[in-house]
Amino acid sequence: MTGHRDSDFIRACHSEPVRRIPVWFMRQAGRSLPEYREIRGPGTILRAIANPDLATEITLQPVRRYGVDAAILYSDIVTPVHGIGFGVFIEPGVGPVTEQPFTSADDLKRLRPLEPETDTPYVLETVRNLVEELTVPLIAFAGAPFTVASYLIEGRPSRTYARTKTLMHTDEKLWNQLVDRLADLAIASLVSQVEAGASALQLFDSWAGALSPADYERFVMPASQKVLSAVASLGVPRIHFGVNTGELLPLIAAAGADVVGVDWRTPLDTARTRIPSGTALQGNLDPALVVAGWEATRPAALELLERGSGGGHIFNLGHGVLPESNPEVLERLVSLVHAHPVENPR
Amino acid sequence: MTGHRDSDFIRACHSEPVRRIPVWFMRQAGRSLPEYREIRGPGTILRAIANPDLATEITLQPVRRYGVDAAILYSDIVTPVHGIGFGVFIEPGVGPVTEQPFTSADDLKRLRPLEPETDTPYVLETVRNLVEELTVPLIAFAGAPFTVASYLIEGRPSRTYARTKTLMHTDEKLWNQLVDRLADLAIASLVSQVEAGASALQLFDSWAGALSPADYERFVMPASQKVLSAVASLGVPRIHFGVNTGELLPLIAAAGADVVGVDWRTPLDTARTRIPSGTALQGNLDPALVVAGWEATRPAALELLERGSGGGHIFNLGHGVLPESNPEVLERLVSLVHAHPVENPR
């Protein structure tokens, strides 16, 4: 186990010179791939995640097909809370659904600490399998406290996060207890994945961009900071990602990221001005352009390669691959990125 | 009919000194008000809009209750396309639904010009009623070409706008024809509302923030610019609004706005740096804070009043009032804003 310290992906995470711009895609594994649809079988994603042979194969598929520079563990934001039995499920076509949403201090009892080897042994078995098989770095996967909390509180995907925001504003003590427990879950999960061999990690705070900077700083940042500082000593790069986070980028970086993920709304050169030098960027092609096809993807990809230059850059989409994407477009995109002349940071 | 040229609302729109900070709320009329739920009756919002007595009363209710500085016509983004018979309906709990989505040049035939007096006579009757009754300015209402197009193309509310983006990127000619027709609809509707007595107008491009700045500038801005320049000579202030538009603010202002609406993600003082001086700002309290209650609303409102100072500012939420809001919180908010010492722009 080398940690892939010399790979372009890990080097870019540390804003070090690279041979080629590294590229991977959020949700590169999954419904956009025919080979995935073939083997996925019935049941929800949580069932597939709980089957290490299947989860291993699903994680490997896009690495084989695309030649991307990193694999991302096939997992879900709710895997740990599901693992400790909070009662979170995935409703097809809807997303995570919580049967009894989090409403009061009593519900804290339903959030005991995660023991990765007994609560989610399949995750670690999958990681160990993958580390055996892969020749590229594996990225560990965890949901950030705010985004997990929003699923537990709202009960189902929300557009407004009004219940979540109401809890944080009306019972700050309970809110802090909740996100503190969720921080501990994320820490336990990430530490176990890295100890099992993952070479990097990504903290998904997908919906943090629903918050004003003031609310993010007060109610969310401390818990994310707790996670990111607890895993700093593991020695693997930490990617911190959310969508709609243009105004939050300085705070997301300050929470302790080696790499900040950015969606397509913020041009990379603009994003660069909002984070400290020495912090790398990951992103940020609009996933809808991949659906639109190669003629839409190519010029936008070339433009963003220019905007990303002048610092560490990991090419990615600004959010996950959409299920209706044509894998051929992503194949060509990897080739385009890899063929692009590298302008290394000075 | 005075045009209310000396009202604080109209003065703030022109970045002129005011006596009190003007305030109104997007979706101030509607489900959050018990008096609305009492009179609304069965059927969708489009049916209520088509009943001038009802629409007049619904528009007036929040003006009476809150003492806001402006009324907004009770209407919907799809009113004109519905009026010309495109086949758009409102599905309760879902939003606008298009039975036969826009897919090809043939569908352009379904988008004939709007004749406001015959296609949507009820809109003009409502406006005329309101102008008789109101002592505050009435804001005319129209959906911007992109946002209306997204409803016609997606068929129902979308999270990704992948079909809309696919059309713009794969058939730019057809896309331009579509948004050009939708621009003409918006122009016809706005002109007729202002000629019937409205004193200001708001162009709702609610979902424009789904786009990268490059895509907005190329595919959306020209059509919005067409609308906003066509209505410039009417002599009423033009408010240009969308959510998630932090990075688009310079373009949204450049499209021809006297006032730029901003959501809560972008602090007003940050927004101010992205628009020309002399352009006013409208916003931007997180509507979820109103749901959370007065203790959450008050400090955030005071902070944003400070951030909004130094230029024209119309206090509003960053998006519409949520149905679960307590009207008492909005009442107190209006008092707070009106009692706030004014720091006029120099």
Side-chain angles (χ1 to χ4, degrees):
Chain A
M1 199 178 71
T2 65
H4 301 274
R5 188 63 191 79
D6 193 44
S7 68
D8 281 332
F9 171 73
I10 300 290
R11 293 181 65 84
C13 289
H14 292 300
S15 299
E16 294 167 357
V18 293
R19 288 147 294 218
R20 301 190 303 189
I21 310 270
V23 51
W24 68 282
F25 306 118
M26 289 182 278
R27 260 186 241 155
Q28 61 192 9
R31 279 200 285 154
S32 60
L33 290 178
E35 59 267 37
Y36 170 88
R37 298 192 297 268
E38 200 166 293
I39 65 164
R40 171 67 160 69
T44 74
I45 181 177
L46 294 173
R47 188 169 139 174
I49 289 166
N51 176 341
D53 287 344
L54 183 58
T56 301
E57 175 60 19
I58 289 172
T59 303
L60 291 170
Q61 283 176 343
V63 179
R64 282 193 213 110
R65 180 190 273 259
Y66 298 131
V68 284
D69 295 277
I72 175 98
L73 180 71
Y74 183 68
S75 188
D76 192 273
I77 283 172
V78 300
T79 299
V81 282
H82 174 73
I84 61 167
F86 192 87
V88 186
F89 302 93
I90 308 284
E91 197 175 305
V94 175
V97 169
T98 306
E99 285 184 333
Q100 296 186 301
F102 185 99
T103 58
S104 71
D106 271 354
D107 295 312
L108 286 172
K109 293 180 200 134
R110 298 159 62 201
L111 285 170
R112 64 165 173 80
L114 177 76
E115 299 188 24
E117 290 286 1
T118 50
D119 293 323
T120 52
Y122 42 84
V123 168
L124 300 179
E125 193 177 333
T126 304
V127 172
R128 291 185 192 109
N129 287 347
L130 285 166
V131 174
E132 288 279 312
E133 297 266 349
L134 282 166
T135 57
V136 296
L138 174 68
I139 304 169
F141 186 121
F146 169 78
T147 292
V148 178
S150 77
Y151 286 126
L152 303 188
I153 296 167
E154 303 288 337
R156 50 180 47 226
S158 166
R159 268 180 176 260
T160 66
Y161 303 94
R163 286 173 195 212
T164 309
K165 292 173 180 175
T166 295
L167 181 65
M168 63 174 67
H169 278 280
T170 58
D171 193 344
E172 189 164 358
K173 187 181 158 209
L174 179 59
W175 169 261
N176 285 336
Q177 288 175 317
L178 169 59
V179 289
D180 192 66
R181 293 215 184 183
L182 297 177
D184 288 340
L185 287 183
I187 293 166
S189 178
L190 288 170
V191 168
S192 69
Q193 292 176 56
V194 173
E195 286 180 346
S199 301
L201 61 89
Q202 180 155 324
L203 188 66
F204 286 83
D205 210 355
S206 306
W207 312 131
L211 297 163
S212 67
D215 279 358
Y216 179 83
E217 188 167 13
R218 175 168 166 192
F219 296 110
V220 174
M221 191 176 165
S224 294
Q225 212 155 21
K226 181 180 177 180
V227 177
L228 290 161
S229 62
V231 298
S233 62
L234 298 173
V236 304
R238 301 157 300 165
I239 309 171
H240 193 184
F241 166 77
V243 294
N244 273 327
T245 55
E247 314 299 346
L248 303 181
L249 294 175
L251 300 170
I252 285 174
D258 302 295
V259 184
V260 170
V262 183
D263 83 9
W264 61 94
R265 292 173 180 88
T266 308
L268 287 183
D269 46 353
T270 302
R272 188 84 73 197
T273 66
R274 298 185 192 160
I275 62 170
S277 73
T279 301
L281 286 170
Q282 178 173 280
N284 67 348
L285 192 79
D286 185 346
L289 297 190
V290 175
V291 176
W294 181 242
E295 295 308 315
T297 297
R298 187 177 173 278
L302 289 172
E303 195 199 324
L304 92 81
L305 283 163
E306 292 308 315
R307 289 186 186 269
S309 65
H313 177 212
I314 296 131
F315 194 104
N316 206 317
L317 307 185
H319 202 179
V321 173
L322 294 172
E324 63 268 43
S325 303
N326 179 349
E328 279 173 36
V329 175
L330 293 171
E331 284 177 40
R332 295 177 78 169
L333 184 52
V334 170
S335 301
L336 181 87
V337 174
H338 280 161
H340 194 73
V342 172
E343 193 190 317
N344 278 306
R346 276 167 297 247
Chain B
M1 200 178 71
T2 66
H4 299 275
R5 188 62 191 78
D6 194 45
S7 68
D8 280 333
F9 171 72
I10 300 290
R11 293 181 64 84
C13 288
H14 292 300
S15 299
E16 294 167 358
V18 292
R19 287 148 294 218
R20 301 189 305 188
I21 311 267
V23 51
W24 68 282
F25 305 119
M26 289 182 279
R27 260 185 240 159
Q28 59 191 11
R31 280 199 285 153
S32 61
L33 290 177
E35 59 268 37
Y36 170 89
R37 297 192 298 267
E38 201 165 290
I39 64 165
R40 171 65 161 70
T44 73
I45 182 176
L46 293 173
R47 188 169 139 176
I49 289 167
N51 177 341
D53 287 345
L54 184 58
T56 301
E57 174 60 18
I58 289 171
T59 303
L60 291 170
Q61 284 176 343
V63 180
R64 283 193 212 111
R65 179 189 273 260
Y66 298 131
V68 284
D69 294 277
I72 175 99
L73 179 71
Y74 183 69
S75 188
D76 193 272
I77 283 172
V78 300
T79 299
V81 281
H82 174 72
I84 60 167
F86 192 87
V88 186
F89 301 94
I90 308 284
E91 198 175 305
V94 175
V97 169
T98 305
E99 285 184 333
Q100 295 186 304
F102 185 99
T103 58
S104 72
D106 272 353
D107 295 311
L108 287 172
K109 294 180 199 135
R110 298 159 62 200
L111 285 170
R112 64 165 173 81
L114 178 75
E115 300 188 21
E117 291 286 1
T118 50
D119 293 324
T120 53
Y122 43 84
V123 169
L124 300 179
E125 193 177 334
T126 304
V127 171
R128 290 185 191 110
N129 289 346
L130 285 166
V131 174
E132 288 278 313
E133 298 265 350
L134 281 166
T135 58
V136 296
L138 174 68
I139 305 169
F141 186 119
F146 169 77
T147 292
V148 178
S150 77
Y151 286 125
L152 302 188
I153 296 166
E154 303 287 336
R156 48 180 48 228
S158 166
R159 268 179 177 261
T160 65
Y161 303 94
R163 286 173 196 210
T164 309
K165 292 173 179 175
T166 295
L167 180 66
M168 62 175 69
H169 278 279
T170 58
D171 193 343
E172 189 165 358
K173 186 180 160 210
L174 178 60
W175 170 259
N176 285 336
Q177 288 175 316
L178 169 59
V179 289
D180 192 64
R181 294 215 183 183
L182 296 176
D184 288 339
L185 287 183
I187 293 167
S189 179
L190 288 171
V191 168
S192 69
Q193 292 175 57
V194 173
E195 286 179 346
S199 301
L201 62 88
Q202 180 156 322
L203 187 66
F204 286 83
D205 210 355
S206 306
W207 312 131
L211 297 163
S212 68
D215 279 357
Y216 179 84
E217 188 167 12
R218 175 168 165 191
F219 297 110
V220 175
M221 191 175 165
S224 295
Q225 212 154 20
K226 180 180 179 182
V227 176
L228 290 162
S229 62
V231 297
S233 62
L234 298 172
V236 303
R238 301 158 300 165
I239 309 170
H240 194 184
F241 166 77
V243 294
N244 275 327
T245 55
E247 314 299 347
L248 303 181
L249 294 175
L251 300 170
I252 284 174
D258 302 295
V259 184
V260 171
V262 183
D263 82 7
W264 61 94
R265 292 174 179 88
T266 308
L268 286 183
D269 46 352
T270 303
R272 188 85 74 198
T273 66
R274 297 184 192 160
I275 62 171
S277 72
T279 301
L281 286 171
Q282 178 173 281
N284 69 346
L285 192 79
D286 186 345
L289 297 191
V290 175
V291 176
W294 180 242
E295 295 309 315
T297 297
R298 186 176 174 278
L302 288 172
E303 194 199 324
L304 94 79
L305 283 162
E306 293 307 315
R307 289 187 188 269
S309 66
H313 177 212
I314 295 132
F315 194 103
N316 206 317
L317 306 186
H319 202 178
V321 173
L322 295 172
E324 63 268 42
S325 303
N326 179 349
E328 280 174 34
V329 175
L330 293 172
E331 284 176 40
R332 295 178 78 169
L333 184 52
V334 170
S335 301
L336 181 88
V337 175
H338 280 162
H340 195 74
V342 172
E343 193 191 315
N344 278 305
R346 273 165 296 250

